[in-house]
């Protein structure tokens, strides 16, 4: 029996994944090549609005929608942590070892990579009964800039997606936490930051127990 020969033809006629003529794909690009690249604001607004629309299908409450957005952001945080650490100089290429270092990493490095600036504030809860709660403050979250919230969903904060990214960074750093987004800006005339959002980071008990143990050492 004669051997079968592969059919030659243009890449347009061949089903499946198409490769560039040079044989290189996006996976061949060095990770540092796009370090300073920026995404079009219009492109981001369109993609994010589609994500919100997809997540809003068959929801039972606003909390359900925010939970879905949080889940969408979580894997981004896990992968972003590895990318940012890879881009660090070899001497500082280590994961955060305590809560304060982790939160400063999120406030500066993560925010700078995502939004081109650092977060506007970082605070610890003033309630002595809640030592496990910290707050990252953003006066004008980018994800809320192009979102029109219906009146019947006025409590919705689409920054829950960013909260999911923060939660992914915390989990990837072995500091498991629950992160939620809360609107604290006043919708009044003359208000400087009506979209001001607080990301409440609540660490799990085992994290606080480990932090206390390391503090004693």
């Amino acid at each position: 029996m004669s051997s079968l020969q592969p059919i030659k033809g243009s890449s347009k006629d061949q089903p499946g994944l198409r490769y560039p003529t040079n044989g290189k794909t996006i996976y061949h690009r060095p990770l540092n090549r796009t370090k300073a690249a920026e995404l079009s604001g219009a492109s981001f607004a369109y993609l994010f609005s589609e994500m919100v629309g997809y997540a809003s299908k068959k929801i039972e409450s606003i909390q359900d929608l925010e939970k879905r957005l949080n889940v969408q952001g979580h894997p981004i945080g896990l992968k972003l942590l590895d990318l940012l650490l890879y881009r660090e100089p070899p001497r500082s290429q280590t994961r955060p070892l305590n809560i304060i270092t982790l939160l400063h990493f999120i406030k500066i490095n993560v925010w700078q990579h995502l939004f081109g600036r650092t977060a506007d504030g970082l605070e610890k809860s003033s309630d002595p009964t809640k030592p496990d709660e910290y707050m990252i403050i953003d006066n004008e979250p980018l994800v809320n800039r192009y979102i029109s919230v219906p009146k019947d969903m006025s409590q919705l904060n689409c920054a829950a997606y960013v909260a999911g990214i923060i939660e992914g960074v915390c989990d990837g750093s072995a500091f498991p936490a629950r992160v939620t987004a809360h609107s604290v800006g006043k919708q009044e005339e003359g208000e400087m930051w009506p979209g001001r959002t607080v990301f409440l980071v609540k660490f799990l008990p085992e994290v606080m127990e480990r932090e206390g143990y390391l503090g004693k050492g």
Side-chain angles (χ1 to χ4, degrees):
M1 177 181 286
S2 60
S3 59
L4 298 177
Q5 298 295 327
I7 300 175
K8 297 182 179 180
S10 63
S11 59
K12 295 182 179 179
D13 300 330
Q14 299 178 4
L17 184 64
R18 296 176 58 187
Y19 289 90
T21 55
N22 59 6
K24 294 184 178 181
T25 67
I26 190 174
Y27 300 106
H28 292 85
R29 299 178 184 176
L31 292 178
N32 286 330
R33 181 177 179 180
T34 57
K35 185 175 181 179
E38 294 183 356
L39 176 67
S40 165
S43 299
F44 173 79
Y46 174 76
L47 291 174
F48 187 68
S49 64
E50 289 296 311
M51 291 173 58
V52 175
Y54 178 80
S56 62
K57 295 179 179 179
K58 298 181 180 180
I59 59 172
E60 298 180 356
S61 64
I62 295 177
Q63 290 73 22
D64 189 18
L65 174 54
E66 291 183 342
K67 177 61 178 177
R68 292 185 182 184
L69 292 174
N70 184 287
V71 171
Q72 288 180 352
H74 189 272
I76 303 298
L78 292 173
K79 297 176 182 179
L80 182 60
L81 173 66
D82 290 334
L83 175 62
L84 294 180
L85 291 178
Y86 173 83
R87 288 176 172 173
E88 286 290 317
R91 293 183 178 180
S92 59
Q93 206 173 59
T94 58
R95 294 176 183 270
L97 301 179
N98 56 64
I99 290 178
I100 298 301
T101 305
L102 171 64
L103 293 175
H104 276 284
F105 176 81
I106 296 173
K107 176 181 181 291
I108 299 174
N109 300 61
V110 172
W111 241 255
Q112 186 69 41
H113 178 81
L114 293 176
F115 309 118
R117 59 179 178 82
T118 61
D120 296 299
L122 174 61
E123 300 178 4
K124 184 177 181 179
S125 175
S126 58
D127 190 342
T129 64
K130 299 179 180 179
D132 55 347
E133 292 186 355
Y134 293 80
M135 293 166 284
I136 299 174
I137 303 169
D138 192 328
N139 290 333
E140 191 179 8
L142 177 64
V143 293
N144 290 343
R145 187 176 300 173
Y146 306 105
I147 297 296
S148 299
V149 180
K151 292 183 178 180
D152 59 335
M153 301 180 68
S154 59
Q155 300 301 318
L156 172 65
N157 192 329
C158 292
Y161 177 74
V162 180
I165 296 178
I166 298 173
E167 191 170 317
V169 174
C170 291
D171 291 349
S173 302
F175 288 83
R178 179 76 177 97
V179 185
T180 52
H182 304 270
S183 300
V184 296
K186 298 180 180 179
Q187 302 298 325
E188 300 176 355
E189 185 177 355
E191 174 67 23
M192 181 176 293
W193 305 113
R196 183 181 174 91
T197 297
V198 170
F199 298 94
L200 181 62
V201 185
K202 184 177 179 64
F203 292 98
L204 298 189
E206 54 265 32
V207 175
M208 303 308 299
E209 181 179 356
R210 182 182 62 198
E211 194 81 0
Y213 177 78
L214 293 176
K216 294 179 181 178

